Structures are given as C-alpha cells and as structure tokens.
Amino acid sequence: MILPMILAVDVDYRDRGASIAGVAFENWQDACEKTIFGSRLDDIEDYIPGQFYRRELPCILKLIEEHQLIPDLIVIDGLVYLDGKSRPGLGKHLYDALQGKISVVGVAKRPFKDIAQECELYRGTSKRPLYITSIGLPLTEAKDHIKSMHGEYRIPDLLKQADRISKTMP
C-alpha cells in the first residue's frame, strides 16, 4: 500500500511470538490515525541486552512486508543509535534493512548507557525525558516532530495507541 504516511510501530511479546501494530498518520499533529495495521510473528529470538534489534527487527519487517507498506518515515519504540550518535540500535538496523530509503525516528522511554544528553526531550509537564534518535533526518527536526505530536503527556497519543493495539491483538 503506497500512501504518504508516517508509521508508528510497536511490538508486544507473548511466549515465543509477537503481535506487531502499525499506526499510520499523515501529519505529526494528527489526533487520530488514518489506518491501523497488525501482524503476528511466531518463534522470535530471545532478548539479548544491547542486541534488541535481533528480536524486534524481524517483527517490524513482517508488518511492512505483509501489508506492503512504504511509509515516508517510521517511528519506533526504541533507539536508532544506542549512544545517540554512532552505536547502531534497532532504528539503524531497520534503516539499513530498508536500504536507507525510509527515515527512522526512535522514541525510547528509558536511556541506554551513555546516551547523549542532546537526545533528551521533555513533553508536557513530565519531569522524565523521552530519548529521541534519528536517521534520515536531523535530530533537531526529529525532536521537533515528536514534541509537536498530539497529546499533553510525555508519550504522544498515537505512540500510546500503537502500544495499546499491539497488546490487545490476538
């Protein structure tokens, strides 16, 4: 499906499988999604600290391939660069798997060791930052986009929705 869109993805793990949700929207300030996509992947990798991408990347690629998605940008629940600058994380591996054709913004709720302070973003009245990383667009632009997203709390509403959908899928 070829639509001009931003795609927020989240994955929920159960036993040896995963439910993957994609929430597509057109503008950063949108309050509602345009389309919701869901996929399921069985027999996933175990979690290995510092190598989260080995577990989550196949899930995101399954969603993209199954629904033939070609978004303009993908927002992941995680980091593009673990240190904010050069150590590849899930987002960098996703960007590479997509041949560098789709920009990726990572939004993490917790810092990874040595994450750069410039990656911190405070939304709403939260005293705890989100950690924003990006590839395919400048970090300052990525942070501005995430800050502008709908919702008055720390986590933008459409990112919360992707998380909620992944958890309620069969």
Side-chain angles (χ1 to χ4, degrees), residues 32 52 64 75 82 84 100 164:
C32 298
F52 176 61
I64 291 168
V75 180
L82 300 178
R164 193 170 36 251

Side-chain angles (χ1 to χ4, degrees), residues 114-147:
D114 300 327
I115 187 82
Q117 188 174 7
E118 69 184 348
C119 297
E120 292 180 359
L121 173 69
Y122 291 87
R123 278 182 41 96
T125 58
S126 179
K127 304 279 188 250
R128 294 181 10 211
L130 292 171
Y131 298 88
I132 312 301
T133 51
S134 63
I135 189 165
L137 78 160
L139 178 59
T140 53
E141 189 176 334
K143 288 173 70 175
D144 287 345
H145 287 317
I146 299 303
K147 188 166 188 110

Side-chain angles (χ1 to χ4, degrees), residues 50-162:
Q51 295 184 14
F52 176 61
Y53 73 92
R54 291 184 181 269
R55 184 173 204 194
E56 188 124 340
L57 181 62
C59 299
I60 296 171
L61 293 175
K62 164 88 174 184
L63 179 83
I64 291 168
E65 291 166 11
E66 186 173 293
H67 297 282
Q68 300 176 359
L69 302 173
I70 306 175
D72 297 305
L73 186 141
I74 300 173
V75 180
I76 62 164
D77 178 13
L79 296 166
V80 174
Y81 291 106
L82 300 178
D83 59 1
K85 297 179 182 195
S86 62
R87 187 172 173 203
L90 169 63
K92 172 67 164 101
H93 290 285
L94 176 60
Y95 182 78
D96 292 346
L98 299 171
Q99 291 88 45
K101 295 178 181 174
I102 300 172
S103 299
V104 179
V105 172
V107 179
K109 297 171 206 77
R110 290 178 295 284
F112 194 80
K113 180 183 172 213
D114 300 327
I115 187 82
Q117 188 174 7
E118 69 184 348
C119 297
E120 292 180 359
L121 173 69
Y122 291 87
R123 278 182 41 96
T125 58
S126 179
K127 304 279 188 250
R128 294 181 10 211
L130 292 171
Y131 298 88
I132 312 301
T133 51
S134 63
I135 189 165
L137 78 160
L139 178 59
T140 53
E141 189 176 334
K143 288 173 70 175
D144 287 345
H145 287 317
I146 299 303
K147 188 166 188 110
S148 75
M149 289 183 76
H150 189 268
E152 61 184 276
Y153 300 107
R154 179 176 178 236
I155 300 171
D157 290 351
L158 289 173
L159 302 187
K160 280 194 245 180
Q161 184 179 7

Side-chain angles (χ1 to χ4, degrees), residues 6-57:
I6 302 160
L7 181 68
V9 296
D10 209 332
V11 180
D12 182 59
Y13 300 98
R14 293 177 216 146
D15 300 317
R16 295 286 309 152
S19 295
I20 310 106
V23 174
F25 53 102
E26 293 179 344
N27 301 297
W28 288 102
Q29 298 79 23
D30 287 352
C32 298
E33 79 286 343
K34 182 174 177 83
T35 313
I36 295 171
F37 302 97
S39 294
R40 174 93 185 137
L41 185 62
D42 296 314
D43 198 31
I44 56 170
E45 296 278 332
D46 289 330
Y47 171 72
I48 301 170
Q51 295 184 14
F52 176 61
Y53 73 92
R54 291 184 181 269
R55 184 173 204 194
E56 188 124 340
L57 181 62

